[in-house]
Amino acid sequence: MLQFNPQQIKEIRTRVSVAQVQKLIEENHTVLENDVLVSPDARATWNLYYYCDEHGVRLEWDRHNSKEHCCPIDGKVFTGEPYDGAWWRWLNTLNSRACYQLGLLWQLTQERHYFEKVRTILLQYAHYYPDYEVHGGIPYNGPGKANAQTLCEANCHLDFARGYDFISDDLDAADKTKIERQLLREGAEFLMEHRSEQLHNHEMKINATIGVIGLLLDDPAYLDFALHSKYGLHYQLDNGCLGEGMWFEGSIHYHYYALQAVLAYEKIACGTVHSVASNNNLIKMLKFPLNLILGHGNFPRMNDCIAGQEKLNHTHIFEFANKQFPCLKFQQVLQSIYSKQERDNLDALLYGVDSLDSVERLQCQTVHAPYSGYTLGSDNIHNNAFLLKHAPYGGEHDHYDRLGLILVRNGKEILPDLGTTGYGAHLHYHYYKNSATHNTLVVNQSNQSPNAPKLLNFSQEKDHLLVDSIADWREAQPSVDSHVIEQWDSASYKDIVFRRVVLWFGNLAIEINRVHNPNRQQLDLTYHVRGEHILSLDWVPVDNPLSGALTIMRSCHRKDSTQYQVMRYQISGESDFSQTIATDSPCELLIGEAPDNPATKNMAYLLVRSRERNFSSLVMHDLSQDLCHQLSNVRWEGEESVYFDVRSEDEVRQVKYSLSAGTVTVTLLTHAQVESHAN
């Protein structure tokens, strides 16, 4: 066995608790309590088809019913494809995971029935696997054999391989030969044939699996391919890690998914000549997203992140990282995780230090990462934050939301990033992934074409922070060394220049937006608020006039020819929230309701619409609990400067932002001083 030497496994046996053993048994209840079931042919498709189209939630999987699949929200039953094939994909997950976890139970307890269950699963797959037909058709992905994409194949084979390692010393020669030749080698050869020539989290997992099989079979060709070939692990780390340490795809979920793959390999390779720990980008990638923790204690749900994947619960990453690469940051993240749960997981048992030092938990903090492309401003007194995304386009798992904005008030995302749902569900491509469902600029209700925004200015003073960035579609469209499907409208965004300035005062976020629109396209500065509109009587109800993702918006109302508007929202369990919008020319306002994530409830949308050749807006988001701020005296001086006052009960902030010089001046005055100057 390579994963642990005899002394290590002996120590693990002395530390394992009854509860940990019981948890492993419960997690594998379906496999333990039923006869082994393995598909005799290549009928398994994709687990992300196993979602309700209407609600965007995962269907309920029943081991004894492969033909009927139930929505947990309303009980609707789905039949036929793609649900039946996805059912079998789920079964492959249970079987492969059981190989690893029941193999571990065999090592922990030496109870023979765990060994026999793993042996039976591996031998059945070894029997069928060589004859499985290659099949696929999943967007962006290579094919599979037991499954319908190369990534799923790698996931299963990683657990097959690790499970085999746990029982191999006790197998007879015939069983070992059959499993190694007909399953592990067949799997490794298939993965090598179908690994794509691209930067991608999939390729990280495929490489890691080939590498693990190479370690177990002591095959230098597999190891060289996995580690040192173009698009191998080192190439992925060297070229996929941007700037301060963000994975190029821009999804924190896929950032750590890629690292999970590397660490699954490294947990076996550490201390050997095949370790990847010498790659400096490994540590950078482990650390960087921790800087983007928001006030609610989790990551932002940026890009392709299914609801729940934003949770900070990565014990499988940080128990091992803290032991192998000890640092305060990893201790803090573990402290944060274990403030919400007991430290009784397998990763702590197998890979963690004996005890953790008492340190402060991770907190939301102001971070400016110009190369990765994120600026986060925080106010820990009120638990408020903003995040501006000025990152370059990241390929398949990115969303079309350059200069997208997230706002957190009192620890809750009030202007959220919705993330997405299962990729096989209708709402993924037709709703969540679109520009129109983000807090950004939308042209002709179409998706932004790829862009690499430029940072114009960043400054941080005692009482405020400012970030100024621009997305310029006059420049050449950036490319990414990763497969993509064109789902944007380059013609609509041709010659558009979108500049967004965020001025942050902690309990107040102010945007200055300027759009150069020479072709007089339809511009929609879009905002969605996790709340309900509070409407005055002067809003006119209208039928939904929108195309694209927001055709599902309901309860639409409109206001025409306005330049100043205060929006109020009722927030569940919280005080009301307000936005004040001031524009340099008359605009149309359109509001309505469309799905949150999950799509079991709606949220409030606001679109600020114009067709002007040059359009400017100033939007004040009042994050205070008493809505004490008033925006007044907004004055635009062409493309040079904007002036405005922000009044509160105690003082008046007089603000000037020089758009040409990129400098801000904030003057604090009492109300009496303002009146005196006016007279």
Side-chain angles (χ1 to χ4, degrees), residues 531-550:
E532 298 180 9
H533 287 291
I534 301 173
L535 293 183
S536 56
L537 296 177
D538 53 349
W539 286 88
V540 179
V542 295
D543 292 334
N544 186 341
L546 300 175
S547 59
L550 290 185

Side-chain angles (χ1 to χ4, degrees), residues 340-508:
K340 302 173 185 176
Q341 66 184 64
E342 295 296 321
R343 191 179 180 230
D344 58 358
N345 57 78
L346 285 181
D347 302 289
L349 171 69
L350 300 178
Y351 303 109
V353 296
D354 291 340
S355 61
L356 298 174
D357 296 333
S358 180
V359 296
E360 290 186 1
R361 288 183 286 167
L362 282 176
Q363 287 189 330
C364 182
Q365 58 183 325
T366 295
V367 173
H368 179 54
Y371 301 105
S372 292
Y374 303 92
T375 298
L376 188 157
S378 68
D379 172 15
N380 290 334
I381 295 175
H382 302 99
N383 204 6
N384 298 334
F386 85 89
L387 179 65
L388 180 67
K389 174 184 174 182
H390 45 92
Y393 174 66
E396 171 194 356
H397 288 296
D398 204 340
H399 288 188
Y400 311 106
D401 64 328
R402 297 313 93 173
L403 306 190
L405 181 67
I406 299 172
L407 285 180
V408 177
R409 187 186 74 164
N410 193 29
K412 297 180 180 178
E413 287 185 48
I414 200 161
L415 265 72
D417 190 319
L418 298 178
T420 194
T421 184
Y423 305 156
H426 179 82
L427 287 170
H428 170 61
Y429 286 120
H430 291 85
Y431 183 71
Y432 292 118
K433 201 174 176 70
N434 294 270
S435 299
T437 54
H438 293 78
N439 300 305
T440 188
L441 173 71
V442 185
V443 180
N444 296 336
Q445 283 298 296
S446 63
N447 287 335
Q448 296 177 359
S449 53
N451 191 277
K454 292 182 180 178
L455 182 72
L456 300 181
N457 186 31
F458 172 80
S459 62
Q460 185 175 4
E461 306 296 335
K462 182 177 181 181
D463 64 336
H464 67 268
L465 177 151
L466 181 139
V467 59
D468 184 347
S469 191
I470 190 168
D472 188 344
W473 278 275
R474 296 171 304 183
E475 298 186 349
Q477 180 173 300
S479 61
V480 59
D481 189 9
S482 192
H483 303 331
V484 298
I485 298 174
E486 185 172 329
Q487 296 172 315
W488 53 80
D489 183 353
S490 297
S492 286
Y493 287 86
K494 184 177 184 295
D495 297 327
I496 293 285
V497 182
F498 174 35
R499 182 174 179 181
R500 172 167 270 177
V501 181
V502 179
L503 183 58
W504 174 251
F505 292 103
N507 62 351
L508 195 65

Side-chain angles (χ1 to χ4, degrees), residues 637-654:
E637 288 191 355
E639 297 184 5
E640 293 299 316
S641 301
V642 58
Y643 300 81
F644 55 93
D645 295 347
V646 178
R647 295 173 175 265
S648 65
E649 294 178 356
D650 302 323
E651 62 190 15
V652 177
R653 289 188 181 99
Q654 292 189 333

Side-chain angles (χ1 to χ4, degrees), residues 2 153-154 156-162 164 179-180 183-192 206-220 222-223 226 265 268:
L2 290 186
E153 214 71 10
C156 286
H157 276 278
L158 179 61
D159 280 338
F160 289 152
R162 295 189 298 178
Y164 171 74
I179 294 168
E180 289 185 4
L183 183 59
L184 300 186
R185 286 196 180 277
E186 284 273 348
E189 297 289 342
F190 178 84
L191 293 175
M192 290 170 68
I206 293 165
N207 285 318
T209 301
I210 296 167
V212 166
I213 294 174
L215 290 170
L216 299 185
L217 303 184
D218 192 22
D219 192 314
Y222 292 175
L223 287 165
Y265 169 82
I268 303 176

Side-chain angles (χ1 to χ4, degrees), residues 34 75-76 148 177 198 236 333 347 352 496 553 587:
N34 293 281
K76 179 179 178 180
T177 298
Q198 64 169 343
Q236 297 282 335
V333 70
D347 302 289
I496 293 285
M553 196 165 78
C587 66

Side-chain angles (χ1 to χ4, degrees), residues 161-312:
R162 295 189 298 178
Y164 171 74
D165 184 50
F166 280 136
I167 70 167
S168 60
D169 291 343
D170 300 283
L171 288 170
D172 64 35
D175 286 347
K176 291 180 69 172
T177 298
K178 184 174 183 178
I179 294 168
E180 289 185 4
R181 287 182 179 176
Q182 296 181 210
L183 183 59
L184 300 186
R185 286 196 180 277
E186 284 273 348
E189 297 289 342
F190 178 84
L191 293 175
M192 290 170 68
E193 181 181 356
H194 292 282
R195 188 192 71 183
S196 295
E197 293 188 350
Q198 64 169 343
L199 297 174
H200 204 283
N201 69 84
H202 288 193
E203 283 24 89
M204 293 282 259
K205 179 60 71 72
I206 293 165
N207 285 318
T209 301
I210 296 167
V212 166
I213 294 174
L215 290 170
L216 299 185
L217 303 184
D218 192 22
D219 192 314
Y222 292 175
L223 287 165
D224 184 65
F225 182 89
L227 297 179
H228 303 299
S229 64
K230 188 176 183 181
Y231 299 107
L233 285 179
H234 282 293
Y235 186 91
Q236 297 282 335
L237 287 168
D238 291 341
N239 295 278
C241 176
L242 300 181
E244 295 82 3
M246 187 69 183
W247 182 243
F248 80 100
E249 292 180 272
S251 163
I252 291 174
H253 164 66
Y254 281 110
H255 181 109
Y256 281 123
Y257 188 80
L259 281 175
Q260 174 191 351
V262 177
L263 294 189
Y265 169 82
E266 185 64 17
K267 286 170 182 176
I268 303 176
C270 64
T272 75
V273 295
H274 305 297
S275 169
V276 295
S278 61
N279 194 305
N280 293 331
N281 283 344
L282 178 61
I283 302 298
K284 288 172 65 177
M285 285 185 63
L286 284 165
K287 289 181 177 179
F288 177 74
L290 301 175
N291 296 315
L292 301 182
I293 294 289
L294 297 177
H296 45 54
N298 292 310
F299 297 109
R301 201 187 291 172
M302 299 184 299
N303 297 335
D304 278 355
C305 179
I306 295 172
Q309 293 175 338
E310 77 279 8
K311 301 295 184 183
L312 178 60

